[in-house]
Amino acid sequence: MELLVASAIGILTAGGIYLMLRLRTFPVILGISLLTYAVNVFLFASGRLTTAAPPILRDDISLYADPLPQALVLTAIVISFGMTAVVVMIGLGAFLGSDDDHVDDQTALDDDPAEGAS
Amino acid sequence: MSLFILVALPFFGALLPGLMNSAGRASCAGVTFTVSLVAFLGLLTNLPAVWAGEVVTARIDWLPSLGLNFTLMLDGLGFFFALLILGIGLLIIAYARHYLSRDDNMGEFFTYLLLFQGAMVGIVLSDNILLLLVFWELTSLSSFLLIGYWKHLPEGRQGARMALTVTGMGGLAMIGGMLILGQIAGSYDLSVILQNRELIQADPLYVPALILILMGCFTKSAQFPFHFWLPHAMAAPTPVSAYLHSATMVKAGIFLMARMWPVLSGTPEWFMIVTTAGLVTMVLGAVIALFKHDLKALLAFSTVSHLGLITMLLGTGTAFGAMAAMFHILNHATFKAALFMSAGIIDHETDTRDIRRLGGLRVLMPVTFVIATLAALSMAGIPLLNGFLSKEMMLEEANHTTLFGMPLLVPVMATIGSLFSAAYCFRLIGHVFLGPVRDDYPAKPHDPGPGLWLPPAILVVLVVVIGVAPFLAEPFVKMVTASVLGGEAEVPKAYFKIWHGLVPALFMSIAAVVGGLLMMAIFNPALRFWDAAPRPEAKVIFEGIVEAAARLARGLILPLHNGAFSRYAAIGTVAIVAAGFHAWSTGTIAAPTRELQPAGPVPIAGWLMLVAATGGMVLMHRNRLLSLILIGIVGLMVSIGFVFFSAPDLAMTQFTVEVVTIILLLLALNFLPNTTPIESSVLRRVRDAGIAIAGGLAAFGLAYHYLLRDAVTTPISEFHLANSYKGGGGTNVVNVILVDFRGFDTYGEIIVLGIAALLIYALTETLLGGPVRARLLNRKPDQPRAGDMHPMMMVVLTRVIMPVVMMVGFYIFLRGHNEPGGGFIAGLIVSIGVVMQYMASGFGWTSARLKYPYHGVIGAGVLIAGLTGIGSWFVGKPFLTSDFTYVRIPPFEEFELATAALFDLGVFLAVVGAVMLSLESFSRLARRAHVPDSEHPMDIDPSRDDPQPEPANGGAS
């Protein structure tokens, strides 16, 4: 099980990084979202993996999953929605303003014209 | 008056002039004057204690762990400087009232002036050197604002920038020096540092600390080789020059040297550096001043020269030198401020400050003539005026000082400095006031009203009184000296008097005055020689250095920071992975302590779906809609994973957030191209894949390592589990943590969420207000639209389901404290219900039924959460302490009432507001893009008399 979760984190991270390195806003935003999953799952996993023991107190149960990472990740999920929305809005505004959804600056700099166009 | 009020008064007072600006110039200046006057009188209330030798203190612990405390102290030295700052400040405010023209923004000016005054009072009253540094930087900043007050003048802007650069660099150096000093002494409190002379001077870091602190002092007090900024700062309005750049700010460096005198002085290093710098500055400033044609430049260089004189006196390290320095600070402040104000009057009345265009003003401006002449003669060191007394003491001290083993060096240099000093004073009197009346002044000169000449006249009265009756000033100066010496040396017994007998200092004085007169006689040939002689221009050198530094920075930054985000991301990822690898390969790794848990077929199936979806996204990301569907699958699998690993709250949150995120991205995709073109080379894709695989492996390694080992120390989670019910009254520990244990975090998070939503709203408004709006309106959909805009089935279904959704949200909210649920999840569920109405029935229909704007909902949520937190103050508990009780209203079951539920209500509202505001902003963009909203929420409505199918907009094309 540990191997599955760890490899899922690794794969999400790899996919996220690859998409984050793309040149257009939309794949970059999706890449960041994938990275967000990876980070959230990783934070959650810092409480170690426990099955069938939700942190809801019951009289006759003494084993519970670690609640603290869950609380932190819960707010992280909601905040990441806010962040995604802002990034999407910025990307959209840039596209609508310039008809160009490149992530990198397209204006050639005086001393470095070739950069950013790769 | 408490020292806190004394320091705070100018800062708070700085708010007033701006407010009074519209009330007229007189009230604007009046309120500033009142603030300063109150502070001045408040200072005087402390005089009896200071006079008795006490040190008045006030203390608030600010950041005790860093040694940074808001401690203030008022001793003789601090009192002296505060008296100068506030006393001369009053005269300057009165003078500036009449000096500034109607075009100048007086409120702005006085705001800056009061900010400066507060910062300056803060410096001289600080008992903590870190606090002192804060005020020190504030004076640099307010000086920058004041020098550049006339923003339209390029000299003003350049001078302000130069002053800020030089004094700011000095301030940075001084921070380093002060930190070293604090480390040596073990405290940042001056009162402790001043007791540790032996410890500090014996420390190997004494010399670096000394040099760094002196850098700060020398830049601030315009000592060679940092003197060049002061003349350029003269582009400021004259009241500023008189106040900051002669009487107060430039003396801050000297103040600090005097303050640190008991611990830093007396060593060979101190003596060599300080005396040499002072001596060179004194002579150099005096020589340059003589040949300046701009009245203010002449005075500026004479200020440089006199600051050098005071520095030199402090450098000698003797008690007599310190006393002479204090006396000269007093005298210099009086005559130099009077001279600056006179120069301002001349500039104001004749429209020029060029000495070559002036002359003969004695007849035209008799009052100004008397004031300026008395002040200038005092500066020249003529008996019966106060400048003579302290200059005499300086020469006396110079006579006993041997520098570099040459006994004659200091006396001769001091005499030469005094000679040039006398010469420029005579030039000022002779070339401006004496001589024939001319007929080519730029303006017709005449004496100004008393508002302009009274302030300098008051100072000149002091010049004469102290000059004739020095015994009046003696006890005060000796009290100040005693606090400078701080018990390290005896206050000298010498009396202040005009006639000391035929001592060497008298002959040096006579030589200086006679030499000065001779210099005037040969002024014209000397000027020709001066103009012909090559000399370095400080401004050119400064600009050159600035330009070289900027070029270096550009050369470093531009290739790295070229606007290519993907490159930064790649560099950042590689750097993070490399740092992690370094830590991994050099640190110690403990053996695994946990067993691997077996995985059944269901988790493996979920894992496979997640991996397949992620892989599909990477491979097919060019088809944007497809990748959006795939990321939905990823999110779904993550939610299921949360369920599986005992996190029901997380699963519900993830699931609902997933829905709103996908809607959001779909809305965005509506405007963006549907496919991503192939632009990057194969090589680049291989490189990116390499980086991604490295990053993925690193994340995998870290997570795997982590999961197989127990925490190094006991986690605090046990506390939460144990106290959730007892202390928080809830059995859902996650929710209790959110609304109770870590409620303050949650409070911050809902605020962040609200700000993000408002940001989106603001961006939308900006877009719709700009040129983008026209583009949106004229935009042609890039693919056929659906025939039904608002399908009847969907409309009916969403409306039926709405109450159910609301009820589910309410249920989830209420049970949140004890079962999975809570404000976050309930908020998201309700948002989805509302979004469905938008989607099914259209924007116009839904907005028309919306009673409350979403901004208000966010605000109400934050407010409710905040008020709940504040509520606990009324029962004497810290912010956000929750309380709960059990009530029973027959015939219902007993149920629980917790203040945490009220807080959760705030969370709920903030989440609903933020999510809806974001989505609504996006859909408003979409709305403008189409033809106006359909009038009816349903395309086909049987209740309408004449059912008229809506034509498909643009869909038929």
Side-chain angles (χ1 to χ4, degrees), chain A residues 37-112:
Chain A
Y37 289 131
V39 171
N40 284 345
V41 174
F42 176 76
L43 286 181
F44 169 72
S46 70
R48 308 305 185 276
L49 303 179
T50 325
T51 48
I56 313 289
L57 300 178
R58 293 283 180 269
D59 284 340
D60 45 352
I61 297 176
S62 62
L63 177 74
Y64 298 105
D66 193 343
L68 193 59
Q70 295 194 13
L72 300 182
V73 171
L74 198 153
T75 50
I77 293 172
V78 180
I79 293 273
S80 64
F81 163 74
M83 192 203 72
T84 309
V86 171
V87 174
V88 170
M89 190 69 226
I90 292 171
L92 191 58
F95 175 71
L96 292 175
S98 64
D99 219 0
D100 174 22
D101 66 341
H102 276 97
V103 171
D104 296 352
D105 275 0
Q106 296 299 300
T107 42
L109 294 164
D110 299 339
D111 52 349
D112 210 355

Side-chain angles (χ1 to χ4, degrees), chain B residues 299-645:
Chain B
L299 290 175
F301 276 104
S302 91
T303 305
V304 168
S305 163
H306 279 267
L307 292 171
L309 185 161
I310 299 168
T311 305
M312 186 199 79
L313 285 172
L314 285 171
T316 60
T318 65
F320 187 80
M323 182 168 81
M326 289 306 115
F327 194 29
H328 197 68
I329 290 172
L330 174 66
N331 296 337
H332 178 253
T334 50
F335 65 65
K336 187 55 66 67
L339 275 173
F340 263 114
M341 288 195 255
S342 308
I345 293 174
I346 293 167
D347 186 17
H348 205 255
E349 301 303 331
T350 65
D351 240 8
T352 182
R353 300 197 308 245
D354 192 330
I355 296 176
R356 288 167 299 186
R357 301 198 58 185
L358 296 167
L361 292 182
R362 172 176 55 93
V363 185
L364 298 168
M365 304 173 73
V367 177
T368 316
F369 166 67
V370 171
I371 292 170
T373 304
L374 282 173
L377 288 177
S378 174
M379 181 156 77
I382 303 298
L384 294 181
L385 296 166
N386 63 359
F388 168 75
L389 299 163
S390 44
K391 189 161 266 187
E392 195 86 327
M393 285 164 78
M394 182 274 289
L395 292 171
E396 174 72 27
E397 177 69 15
N399 232 354
H400 300 301
T401 308
T402 308
L403 191 64
F404 301 121
M406 288 179 279
L408 275 180
L409 179 69
V410 179
V412 168
M413 293 284 276
T415 312
I416 293 174
S418 304
L419 187 153
F420 276 94
S421 176
Y424 64 67
C425 295
F426 296 147
R427 174 163 185 236
L428 192 150
I429 300 169
H431 289 188
V432 174
F433 291 103
L434 303 182
V437 175
R438 301 164 64 144
D439 49 11
D440 59 346
Y441 302 115
K444 185 97 188 84
H446 56 83
D447 265 326
L452 280 180
W453 64 254
L454 203 56
I458 292 171
L459 289 172
V460 166
V461 169
L462 276 176
V463 167
V464 177
V465 168
I466 297 175
V468 175
F471 55 86
L472 290 176
E474 185 178 322
F476 184 74
V477 174
K478 285 196 168 165
M479 176 199 80
V480 174
T481 311
S483 86
V484 171
L485 302 180
E488 294 294 336
E490 286 284 307
V491 179
K493 292 277 183 295
Y495 295 110
F496 292 10
K497 49 189 180 182
I498 301 165
W499 179 252
H500 286 275
L502 293 172
V503 289
L506 182 68
F507 295 114
M508 288 157 80
S509 250
I510 294 172
V513 172
V514 173
L517 286 171
L518 286 176
M519 198 71 199
M520 280 313 294
I522 57 160
F523 179 73
N524 284 333
L527 179 64
R528 275 195 296 280
F529 175 73
W530 174 260
D531 285 339
R535 3 172 241 288
E537 178 58 53
K539 190 176 174 187
V540 176
I541 298 171
F542 173 79
E543 300 287 349
I545 293 173
V546 169
E547 184 45 46
R551 209 178 305 121
L552 182 68
R554 273 196 297 271
L556 275 176
I557 292 170
L558 285 185
L560 282 176
H561 196 106
N562 59 356
F565 168 82
S566 53
R567 173 195 274 217
Y568 312 156
I571 292 174
T573 312
V574 170
I576 291 169
V577 171
F581 184 76
H582 175 73
W584 180 276
S585 53
T586 54
T588 51
I589 298 155
T593 57
R594 291 172 75 99
E595 293 288 311
L596 272 176
Q597 300 177 41
V602 176
I604 291 178
W607 181 85
L608 280 174
M609 282 182 74
L610 188 137
V611 171
T614 312
M617 267 183 78
V618 170
L619 293 177
M620 294 179 269
H621 74 269
R622 300 195 188 284
N623 184 342
R624 293 181 172 183
L625 189 62
L626 183 64
S627 55
L628 202 53
I629 294 168
L630 289 173
I631 202 171
I633 296 177
V634 174
L636 208 58
M637 288 304 118
V638 171
S639 314
I640 292 172
F642 285 142
V643 177
F644 188 74
F645 291 112

Side-chain angles (χ1 to χ4, degrees), chain A residues 92, chain B residues 628 662-672 918-920 922-923 926:
Chain A
L92 191 58
Chain B
L628 202 53
I662 297 292
I663 293 174
L664 181 101
L665 287 172
L666 274 174
L667 279 168
L669 201 52
N670 189 19
F671 302 97
L672 293 170
S918 317
L919 292 178
E920 192 212 20
F922 273 86
S923 50

Side-chain angles (χ1 to χ4, degrees), chain B residues 279-299:
Chain B
L279 200 61
V280 172
T281 313
M282 176 170 94
V283 176
L284 195 71
V287 174
I288 299 175
L290 178 61
F291 298 109
K292 284 288 168 189
H293 301 306
D294 179 356
L295 205 49
K296 273 176 81 175
L298 185 153
L299 290 175

Side-chain angles (χ1 to χ4, degrees), chain A residues 5-10 12-13 34-49 69-70 73, chain B residues 638 642 650 696 698-707:
Chain A
V5 172
S7 58
I9 293 172
L12 285 173
T13 310
L34 279 187
L35 270 183
T36 309
Y37 289 131
V39 171
N40 284 345
V41 174
F42 176 76
L43 286 181
F44 169 72
S46 70
R48 308 305 185 276
L49 303 179
Q70 295 194 13
V73 171
Chain B
V638 171
F642 285 142
L650 281 191
F700 164 72
L702 183 63
Y704 191 61
H705 173 85
Y706 214 63
L707 284 171

